[in-house]
């Protein structure tokens, strides 16, 4: 177990220090995150959580019953260092048996129906 993580039973490990940051991020979602949440994800017949701490990360959206993480990536995700970071982060999340779907802000806003159909 990595330092600073809590894991209880079947739950995914998380860093309790991220709890307040996740709350703040739920209140300050990006326009693309807000659109996806308000117009689609919140109406699904499964529970989807926003800004969920997992391991040392906060994922944009998480559905436990589907073992699914959805990430909506803005421009800051397209630098070399961010691409490497996201690749490592995805690898760690997949190590917990999760499927990680990534969309760009642009795809989510301009191709909303296509994103929702995946």
């Amino acid at each position: 177990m990595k330092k600073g993580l809590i894991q209880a039973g079947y739950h995914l490990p998380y860093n309790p220090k991220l709890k307040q940051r996740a709350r703040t991020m739920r209140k300050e979602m990006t326009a693309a995150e807000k659109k996806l949440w308000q117009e689609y994800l919140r109406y699904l017949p499964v529970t989807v959580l926003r800004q969920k701490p997992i391991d040392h990360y906060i994922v944009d959206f998480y559905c436990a019953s589907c073992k699914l993480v959805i990430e909506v990536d803005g421009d800051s995700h397209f630098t070399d260092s961010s691409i490497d970071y996201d690749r490592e982060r995805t690898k760690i999340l997949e190590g917990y048996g999760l499927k990680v779907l990534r969309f760009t802000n642009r795809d989510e806003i301009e191709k909303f129906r296509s994103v929702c159909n995946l």
Side-chain angles (χ1 to χ4, degrees):
M1 179 73 58
K2 293 180 193 172
K3 186 176 179 180
L5 294 181
I6 294 176
Q7 185 166 5
Y10 60 90
H11 297 285
L12 293 168
Y14 80 101
N15 181 343
K17 293 177 183 178
L18 296 177
K19 190 174 182 179
Q20 186 57 47
R21 176 75 180 129
R23 283 184 182 156
T24 300
M25 290 173 71
R26 280 192 286 276
K27 294 176 185 173
E28 299 171 0
M29 290 192 298
T30 67
E33 290 169 345
K34 207 176 281 188
K35 179 178 177 65
L36 186 59
W37 173 250
Q38 291 179 344
E39 296 182 27
Y40 184 67
L41 293 175
R42 70 188 293 182
Y43 299 109
L44 291 176
V46 294
T47 300
V48 177
L49 302 175
R50 298 174 292 147
Q51 307 303 334
K52 170 74 172 151
I54 300 175
D55 200 303
H56 287 294
Y57 310 106
I58 299 174
V59 301
D60 292 337
F61 300 100
Y62 172 65
C63 178
S65 62
C66 300
K67 294 187 175 188
L68 178 66
V69 169
I70 300 171
E71 291 289 307
V72 182
D73 295 341
D75 291 340
S76 66
H77 289 263
F78 301 107
T79 65
D80 289 340
S81 62
S82 293
I83 290 168
D84 291 341
Y85 176 83
D86 284 344
R87 187 177 295 124
E88 180 63 23
R89 180 180 179 195
T90 295
K91 181 178 167 185
I92 289 168
L93 294 171
E94 287 174 342
Y96 293 119
L98 304 175
K99 171 76 174 163
V100 179
L101 292 179
R102 289 188 173 279
F103 302 100
T104 65
N105 283 354
R106 175 179 243 158
D107 283 343
E108 195 270 318
I109 290 175
E110 293 177 3
K111 303 172 187 175
F112 187 71
R113 288 190 192 273
S114 297
V115 168
C116 294
N117 286 327
L118 290 177

